[in-house]
Structures are given as C-alpha cells and as structure tokens.
Amino acid sequence: MKYQIKQTNELTEREIEHILQLWDISAWNTMKSPYFRSFFKDSEFHLLLDTDENILAVIRMNFDFTLKISHEELPFAEAVGLVAAHKKKGYGARLVQYFKDNARERNIDTIGFCHEELRPFYQKCNIEILRDMAKNIKESVGSEWVNSEDDDILIFYVSEEIKEKLSTVSTKNNAYLISKE
C-alpha cells in the first residue's frame, strides 16, 4: 500500500471517476473531470493506493474553509469525504493516520466533522472529538443562518491556541462558516 497526495489537476480521469463512485453523491455522479477540477480547485486529495495504483481510500483536504469565532476569522483545512473502497479492512483508519501525521508535519490546522454514529471509528483512530459542538456552527443558506447538520468537530491537528478558540464555541457563542464567494 502507498500513501499519496495529489492536487486536483494531478488526478487522472480514472481516479476522478473512482472518487466520485466512492463518494456516491447523486448530484455529483455525472460530474465531468473539467468541472470536478474547477469545483475542487481549493482541495488536495489524500489517497491510499494498492500496488496497482487503485484507490483503497480517499479523503479530501479542503483549503476553502474559514470559521468566524468571536469576531475573528480562522482559516482551517477541512477534512472531508473520507471513504474506503472496502469496509472493515482498515483502509480508512490507515489513511486517517497518514492524513493526521501529514497535517501535523505540515503544521496545517485541520478539522473535520461527523455524525454521532461515526464517533467510534474516529475514537479508534485517536482523533480528538469535540462532542456535539458542530451544531453550534452556522452556515449561510440563502438569506438565513442555519445550524450545521453534523454533531461533532474532529481535531486532526490544530495548535493549542486554535483548540482553545474552538472550545469556546457554544449555543451562546456560535461559529459562522465564511465562504469566499
């Protein structure tokens, strides 16, 4: 097995098709490579590959992610889209470890999100979990701010200072997802 990081423009047509298959998001199933590369231009893809270069697991690092907490805008890399080609073989857990180590080595503040039922997986992967705190992140939908659908914030790597700021997020001190658009 091999760990590899690819920029969006480095992914082959076959890899893009495979990633979209693994993600299985109906709105993206017909996405063509040029649009994929444009849509995910602020991302890099972390891959666990077999000896034939087939994707065993993928996670996307989204660099277009800023949270406003207490009037301060904090840029993060967002870990999103983790999926393994085969369940219960340890591929996802192995990729999470490589991903976490990479974020730490590169000193990139990296967080992710999950629903409560995925907590056991991330606990096994030794990912710090800020339980039930993701609901306190507001996202702009049209002209309204709505609560995130996720339950937990996952800490892949952040500085102590950033962790303290994340820990202040609550129903009385919401964080706001700021988009660059």
Side-chain angles (χ1 to χ4, degrees):
M1 279 184 271
K2 178 169 86 170
Y3 172 62
Q4 190 171 35
I5 301 169
K6 288 191 173 190
Q7 301 304 312
T8 307
N9 62 356
E10 296 171 326
L11 292 168
T12 67
E13 300 283 323
R14 189 170 143 251
E15 287 170 332
I16 289 170
E17 286 174 18
H18 194 188
I19 289 167
L20 289 170
Q21 268 181 342
L22 290 171
W23 283 346
D24 193 25
I25 297 171
S26 58
W28 294 351
N29 284 344
T30 59
M31 190 182 285
K32 300 293 179 218
S33 298
Y35 185 69
F36 180 97
R37 288 187 174 97
S38 170
F39 194 78
F40 296 113
K41 69 184 183 314
D42 295 322
S43 299
E44 65 185 24
F45 291 79
H46 294 245
L47 309 168
L48 186 65
L49 304 170
D50 69 13
T51 53
D52 295 324
E53 302 283 316
N54 294 309
I55 298 171
L56 297 173
V58 61
I59 191 169
R60 180 170 69 94
M61 188 180 270
N62 171 24
F63 293 102
D64 181 15
F65 194 85
T66 301
L67 289 178
K68 188 173 189 177
I69 302 172
S70 302
H71 308 293
E72 183 179 2
E73 290 189 11
L74 302 169
F76 291 94
E78 178 195 25
V80 65
L82 171 66
V83 67
H86 308 285
K87 306 292 180 224
K88 304 285 184 197
K89 294 201 180 267
Y91 300 143
R94 185 169 300 176
L95 180 58
V96 165
Q97 190 57 56
Y98 284 129
F99 181 86
K100 181 177 154 182
D101 291 346
N102 181 272
R104 188 185 70 250
E105 288 164 14
R106 293 165 61 192
N107 197 30
I108 299 173
D109 288 323
T110 307
I111 61 175
F113 303 93
C114 75
H115 293 284
E116 182 180 350
E117 60 270 12
L118 292 174
R119 279 180 193 158
F121 170 77
Y122 288 106
Q123 286 170 320
K124 280 190 227 168
C125 293
N126 293 316
I127 299 297
E128 185 175 348
I129 300 170
L130 300 179
R131 290 172 177 259
D132 300 314
M133 291 186 69
K135 294 261 186 245
N136 300 315
I137 297 173
K138 301 274 188 181
E139 299 176 35
S140 179
V141 176
S143 61
E144 291 185 60
W145 288 96
V146 298
N147 290 352
S148 167
E149 293 180 6
D150 290 302
D151 294 307
D152 303 332
I153 300 174
L154 305 170
I155 306 288
F156 288 88
Y157 172 79
V158 295
S159 67
E160 284 303 316
E161 177 188 354
I162 297 296
K163 194 184 301 182
E164 282 177 33
K165 290 176 183 180
L166 277 172
S167 297
T168 67
V169 173
S170 68
T171 54
K172 291 179 176 44
N173 185 36
N174 292 114
Y176 294 88
L177 178 60
I178 305 301
S179 69
K180 291 181 185 174
E181 298 170 35

